[in-house]
Amino acid sequence: MNDQVKYVLDESRLPEAWYNIAADLPSPPPPVLHPGTGQPVGPDDLAPLFPMQIILQEVSTDRFVAIPEEVRSVYRQWRPTPLFRARRLERHLDTPARIYYKYEGVSPTGSHKPNTAVAQAYYNKAEGAKRLTTETGAGQWGSSLAFAGRVFGLEVDVFMVRVSYEQKPYRRALMETFGARCVPSPSEETNAGRAILAEHPDSTGSLGIAISEAVEAAAPREDTKYSLGSVLNHVLMHQTVIGEEAQQQLEQAEDYPDVLIGCTGGGSNFSGLVNPFIGRALREEASIRVIAVEPAACPSLTKGQYAFDFGDTGHLTPLVKMHTLGSTFVPPPFHAGGLRYHGMAPLVSHLKELGLIEARAYTQTEVFAAGVEFAQVEGIVPAPEANHAVKATIDEAVRCREEGVSQSILFNLCGHGHFDMQAYTDFFAGKLEDHAYSEDEVAMALAGLPTVAA
Amino acid sequence: MNDQVKYVLDESRLPEAWYNIAADLPSPPPPVLHPGTGQPVGPDDLAPLFPMQIILQEVSTDRFVAIPEEVRSVYRQWRPTPLFRARRLERHLDTPARIYYKYEGVSPTGSHKPNTAVAQAYYNKAEGAKRLTTETGAGQWGSSLAFAGRVFGLEVDVFMVRVSYEQKPYRRALMETFGARCVPSPSEETNAGRAILAEHPDSTGSLGIAISEAVEAAAPREDTKYSLGSVLNHVLMHQTVIGEEAQQQLEQAEDYPDVLIGCTGGGSNFSGLVNPFIGRALREEASIRVIAVEPAACPSLTKGQYAFDFGDTGHLTPLVKMHTLGSTFVPPPFHAGGLRYHGMAPLVSHLKELGLIEARAYTQTEVFAAGVEFAQVEGIVPAPEANHAVKATIDEAVRCREEGVSQSILFNLCGHGHFDMQAYTDFFAGKLEDHAYSEDEVAMALAGLPTVAA
């Protein structure tokens, strides 16, 4: 028996190109629309916010996009990341399933986010930007852009969702250690923030609001660009190094997954793992089960509507077609701050519509119980977001046991929970509240959807 | 030019044996003495506290001790750990030095401590223990024994130095996530703890006090043994996988260190890195510079006396000859909780007396400044303890620049600082206090040394 538990790749095996699923889709996703005209946006519409190389990647249909050597040289600090066989978890669950996980927690900030942060900082620097603005939920993204900005000599301003700013002071400290400026959102620094505060002085914030603030802070300034940590095509593409490495590592293991699992907030860690596998299945006309897992308190994929909507609450962004709970939706406070987005990446939504992926939702108490179970047998404490993937993996492994089938399951352990121990403390104290999203709430949030001719 | 930044080893290169420097020393360290008789202790004296395999390792003079396969299979989850070439730091410092660091922060608890925790839990389980007691300072050790105990099905009770228990709630949460029970020390659970509290109700605790409590809680119970996270010979030996791997990785890099650097509290991460190199230098009659770095507020190696002393404050342990500040010394609160021990490993002290290592001390503000500098260029936030090694490394690299010599420097980055962000927050706020230990304090602390015929 191959008793190996960890599959490592020499840095010579670091991918040389990102994989772009647009090349293999049976139909393209709907275009991004200008909110004023209802017409598809062009590169010029996006130029105030993004460097041209990023804009071209956003609309590229090339199957592979070369990773600049400057980006690969930073990746090499922590990539390739390890792929683990969860043998202790398999024994603990008494399952015939073979469970693997790709572990992105070894990055400088403990999550998958630097994969795109480094690329975005590089392209912005190359095209002359001096400063980046962005939003962050739990702080994984903000700290990653802070790190990447520092590497390439860019200033970074982070609008952090206020509830996370208050609940997670240590991720804020991490951003500040990397030299970034961190602003609780909604803030008094932007029109969008002031408008929210005027109406809701106690607003706990949301990713949608923080995006509005970061976009507003960047757009008018020539030397300042905006960076987004998820949702957009180029962001998802930058994450595909995860799945590309996993494919090489599973070759070492002489195995191939029957089931792929990832948690979904905006959709980037999920896509980073699964897109190379889905692309291969499409090219080979093979089938593979792919499960997106989201919080029951913010269930865009499972309960949202597939419609054109704004990416932000202040309606400064173009319209994208996605599974959405409505751009004004503010999810209740829960600990997986990285999954508190009202919409879903258009590419992930498109895959869902094409029937290429499934989706399910869990409440936070059950995902933390799964996370503690995983930590106790595997020794890694997952981030609250990753616990959603852990929960689905355990459920699938139990299904394998009940059905007596030995399937191979691969999930993305997209980050560690070292900065989230307060959430674990709350879980042990029985203090986690579960908010399952009701049909009434869905209807109310969707009532504000923009009308577009699509 | 070899532009590699990370040297990884396949798990087939995981060491098969620990290295025991006792085999190569020009003279053996002094024996451990029974405090009552002043005579060397025998295995029977230690049997109430430790399993026999551990006791035999403590006195072994074999050069290599085989690592049980059960231990290696747990090591394989995170070992071999990466060795990094700090190219961005070299450029930042404009130094001709080649800087390498071995990174132990990838372990389940983020430090080097599981290397011995897993071994100790294994031997205790093999000899029938049901429960382990231990002390912890900053919590690296306690969380590591909690993890290892869980893997082998042992209960773990951790006496945590009170100041760290209060300052570092998230390491406590980590211990509890792994299923351990965590008690602030001094506590009401032991005679030793109650005696301290009677005299000093506000005691912030010390490792010496916590050791007394853990020893007292273990000694009378047949099914309960005691585990120590540093200081003892077997603990230092279990850590030598660090240096053994580093030797293989430097072969890949086609380099060899001129200078080795580690921080020292009890001495285990330092010894784990340096002992295999010192042993090789002794066998080959070569020379190598080795620098132990400690906090100026707890300067056992630089200001302590080399004398027989108790390992704990309650005087329950045997007497060991070491550099000590006196067993009743309670260091002022500072953030490198793992370096707050009054003594030093007898083996490290012996190396110092033999002239095989140097020692230096730094205040905490200067080590945090070095840590932030390192984090900003290398992307890894070091633990406060590790910042001591970072500071000495930067100083040595600057010396290389000033002297115009291209030396190779290797230091042990023994853990990450994800659980220590409060310390960084305090540093940024200018709130860190520097306590340099005065000659008067030295004299006072040493006044209580036991009298032994040595």
Side-chain angles (χ1 to χ4, degrees), chain A residues 4 6 11 76-77 79 84 88 108 150 170 173-174 177-178 375-376 378-379 381 416 418 422 425 428, chain B residues 4 6 11 76-77 79 84 88 108 150 170 173-174 177-178 375-376 378-379 416 418 422 425 428:
Chain A
Q4 205 165 347
K6 180 164 97 282
E11 65 181 47
R76 274 198 287 268
Q77 183 184 345
R79 305 211 71 86
F84 290 101
R88 293 204 295 265
R150 188 81 200 182
Y170 294 159
L174 184 60
T177 298
F178 288 135
Q376 295 200 342
E378 287 292 315
V381 180
H416 64 60
H418 298 173
Q422 185 60 50
T425 303
F428 289 125
Chain B
Q4 204 165 349
K6 180 163 98 285
E11 65 182 47
R76 275 198 287 266
Q77 183 184 344
R79 305 211 69 87
F84 290 100
R88 292 204 296 264
R150 188 80 200 184
Y170 294 158
L174 184 60
T177 298
F178 288 135
Q376 294 200 345
E378 287 293 313
H416 64 59
H418 297 172
Q422 185 60 50
T425 303
F428 288 125

Side-chain angles (χ1 to χ4, degrees), chain B residues 323-406:
Chain B
H323 290 85
T324 180
L325 299 165
S327 63
T328 57
F329 174 62
V330 177
F334 58 87
H335 279 289
L339 308 183
R340 288 167 47 84
Y341 186 58
H342 68 275
M344 181 50 60
L347 261 180
V348 175
S349 291
H350 187 57
L351 292 176
K352 176 86 168 16
E353 289 301 301
L354 292 172
L356 295 170
I357 64 171
E358 315 165 19
R360 65 176 70 167
Y362 292 113
T363 57
Q364 66 175 343
T365 299
E366 60 189 343
V367 305
F368 271 89
V372 169
E373 192 174 354
F374 181 84
Q376 294 200 345
V377 291
E378 287 293 313
I380 297 177
V381 180
E385 293 80 6
N387 281 342
H388 291 75
V390 170
K391 168 64 177 159
T393 298
I394 290 175
D395 283 0
E396 286 295 309
V398 168
R399 175 189 60 75
C400 286
R401 181 183 68 210
E402 290 169 351
E403 296 178 359
V405 294
S406 174

Side-chain angles (χ1 to χ4, degrees), chain A residues 17-223:
Chain A
W18 294 296
Y19 167 70
N20 181 8
I21 198 169
D24 290 313
L25 289 175
S27 67
V32 173
L33 303 183
H34 191 288
T37 64
Q39 295 302 305
V41 299
D44 288 351
D45 295 310
L46 298 172
L49 292 182
F50 302 108
M52 196 48 63
Q53 285 299 313
I54 294 275
I55 294 170
L56 294 175
Q57 288 180 1
E58 189 64 18
V59 296
S60 169
T61 54
D62 295 344
R63 181 170 289 130
F64 292 102
V65 174
I67 307 174
E69 193 46 46
E70 293 85 345
V71 173
R72 293 180 80 232
S73 86
V74 182
Y75 277 179
R76 274 198 287 268
Q77 183 184 345
W78 72 96
R79 305 211 71 86
T81 61
L83 178 94
F84 290 101
R85 172 84 184 263
R87 292 193 179 274
R88 293 204 295 265
L89 181 62
E90 292 169 17
R91 282 196 295 273
H92 168 74
L93 297 173
D94 191 25
T95 177
R98 303 182 301 288
I99 304 174
Y100 297 89
Y101 56 99
K102 182 73 170 164
Y103 184 42
E104 292 292 304
V106 297
S107 87
T109 55
S111 81
H112 63 291
K113 293 289 188 185
N115 296 331
T116 185
V118 171
Q120 293 190 47
Y122 166 73
Y123 288 118
N124 274 287
K125 177 72 177 184
E127 298 190 23
K130 303 275 186 249
R131 178 169 163 260
L132 294 175
T133 67
T134 196
E135 72 292 326
T136 198
Q140 286 107 331
W141 168 244
S143 56
S144 301
L145 195 68
F147 156 71
R150 188 81 200 182
V151 168
F152 290 105
L154 295 166
E155 285 177 52
V156 177
D157 284 357
V158 182
F159 292 88
M160 186 173 189
V161 176
R162 188 175 292 272
V163 62
S164 293
Y165 185 91
E166 285 161 3
Q167 277 185 2
K168 297 175 191 290
Y170 294 159
R171 282 214 215 254
R172 174 164 37 109
L174 184 60
M175 288 182 240
E176 290 167 354
T177 298
F178 288 135
R181 192 171 74 92
C182 194
V183 182
S185 167
S187 80
E188 296 285 351
E189 297 197 5
T190 66
N191 292 326
R194 286 187 292 268
I196 297 283
L197 286 173
E199 204 175 338
H200 306 287
D202 297 330
S203 170
T204 53
S206 72
L207 278 173
I209 296 168
I211 291 172
S212 294
E213 294 207 274
V215 166
E216 185 185 325
R221 294 183 51 167
E222 185 69 34
D223 67 349

Side-chain angles (χ1 to χ4, degrees), chain A residues 332-415:
Chain A
F334 58 87
H335 280 290
L339 308 183
R340 289 168 47 83
Y341 186 57
H342 69 274
M344 180 51 59
L347 262 179
V348 174
S349 292
H350 187 56
L351 292 175
K352 175 83 170 13
E353 288 301 299
L354 292 171
L356 294 171
I357 65 171
E358 314 167 20
R360 65 176 69 166
Y362 293 113
T363 57
Q364 67 174 341
T365 300
E366 60 190 342
V367 306
F368 271 89
V372 169
E373 192 175 354
F374 181 85
Q376 295 200 342
V377 292
E378 287 292 315
I380 296 176
V381 180
E385 294 80 7
N387 281 342
H388 290 75
V390 170
K391 168 65 176 159
T393 298
I394 290 175
D395 283 1
E396 286 295 309
V398 168
R399 176 189 60 73
C400 287
R401 181 183 68 210
E402 289 168 353
E403 295 178 1
V405 294
S406 174
Q407 292 188 334
S408 176
I409 303 169
L410 168 62
F411 77 96
N412 198 13
L413 187 56
C414 60

